[in-house]
Amino acid sequence: MITLRKSTQRGHADHGWLNTYHTFSFAQYYDPKNMGYGPLRVINDDVVAPAKGFGTHGHNDMEILTWVLDGQLEHKDSMGNHGVINPGELQRMSAGTGVRHSEFNASQTEPVHLLQIWIEPEREGITPSYEQTAFPAEGRDGKLQLLAARNPNGSGAVTIHQDASLQVADLRKGQSVSHKLNTGRRAWVHVAYGDVEVNGEKLGAGDAMALENESAISLSGLSEKSAQVLVFDLV
């Protein structure tokens, strides 16, 4: 079964310093039919104005992934981590028993565009931890690149505390990839930017697709300009 979630169906808020789209219910956006998908709880598509950001706040019992699409995001947390996340770098923060952090646009002149993703962990009370990893662009050019998994198995992906994985692909016209879905698995596909075809459906920036009881995901680029698509394989 395939269900489309178009970009225009997402929640939206423009706070001036933050222009954000919510794939699932978040903050003041509430849709009881879109509270998440399996353990995938949040995909926020954020553009933060120069020198602005999220002040220090707390989280617990959540796997938080941050993927920067354009610009630079400065991170600081109560575990002592402090640095900048650049495009092509994935940050993983396991909030577990509790973490406080802040996120600010590191530029005084340019906006930062990012996806913040929350995945519910398989158990509560995990010791908080942090990873930040750079992924070479050639590793996703016309192919799927593993960014996060419960068992990365030496792939270089970050570790998440849930039976789930996140892959990304950059696809231009003429480039296609596929991902097999094992029995009992479901998937969520999110287009970060550009135009792609997913299992026969055309999707653009911000569009998404839920797949359940499907055997595979087939993705193809549709234009000369590269598109980027995220694939979540979920329990």
Side-chain angles (χ1 to χ4, degrees):
M1 182 177 69
I2 290 174
T3 305
L4 295 180
R5 176 106 164 113
K6 301 297 286 184
S7 63
T8 53
Q9 296 176 294
R10 299 178 295 175
H12 177 237
D14 189 343
H15 302 287
W17 66 272
L18 169 67
N19 189 22
T20 180
Y21 289 87
H22 307 309
T23 295
F24 305 114
S25 294
F26 188 87
Q28 300 304 309
Y29 167 61
Y30 175 70
D31 179 353
K33 295 181 180 179
N34 287 284
M35 297 299 296
Y37 188 68
L40 179 59
R41 177 62 188 83
V42 166
I43 302 178
N44 287 346
D45 188 341
D46 295 340
V47 176
V48 182
K52 301 296 183 179
F54 306 90
T56 302
H57 59 285
H59 295 288
N60 63 288
D61 292 321
M62 195 65 68
E63 302 290 286
I64 300 172
L65 303 174
T66 301
W67 179 246
V68 173
L69 301 174
D70 189 45
Q72 295 181 311
L73 189 71
E74 182 178 5
H75 169 91
K76 184 184 292 185
D77 65 46
S78 56
M79 292 180 284
N81 300 296
H82 183 198
V84 173
I85 310 166
N86 297 289
E89 295 181 348
L90 183 74
Q91 177 205 75
R92 186 271 301 168
M93 188 173 67
S94 295
T97 54
V99 167
R100 293 182 63 77
H101 75 129
S102 63
E103 309 279 359
F104 278 85
N105 187 340
S107 172
Q108 298 292 316
T109 58
E110 300 297 328
V112 60
H113 185 192
L114 64 121
L115 298 177
Q116 185 162 103
I117 299 154
W118 293 9
I119 296 175
E120 296 174 348
E122 55 194 354
R123 61 181 176 85
E124 296 181 351
I126 292 169
T127 300
S129 60
Y130 178 94
E131 286 181 275
Q132 182 177 328
T133 301
F135 293 87
E138 58 267 25
R140 55 184 174 273
D141 184 6
K143 50 193 170 186
L144 284 164
Q145 181 180 54
L146 184 65
L147 299 183
R150 183 167 67 175
N151 297 304
N153 295 322
S155 64
V158 305
T159 300
I160 52 175
H161 300 90
Q162 179 55 268
D163 185 7
S165 67
L166 167 60
Q167 299 179 87
V168 64
D170 292 343
L171 300 171
R172 297 182 301 278
K173 188 175 182 179
Q175 293 181 317
S176 298
V177 293
S178 62
H179 173 71
K180 180 183 177 182
L181 285 172
N182 292 328
T183 302
R185 306 292 295 184
R186 69 181 87 180
W188 186 270
V189 175
H190 177 90
V191 181
Y193 54 80
D195 299 300
V196 296
E197 184 175 286
V198 184
N199 284 33
E201 299 282 351
K202 293 182 179 180
L203 275 65
D207 291 344
M209 176 186 286
L211 300 99
E212 198 159 2
N213 297 321
E214 298 287 329
S215 60
I217 309 168
S218 298
L219 307 105
S220 300
L222 292 178
S223 68
E224 298 300 330
K225 189 175 181 180
S226 185
Q228 186 169 99
V229 58
L230 280 68
V231 177
F232 297 86
D233 188 314
L234 305 161
V235 66

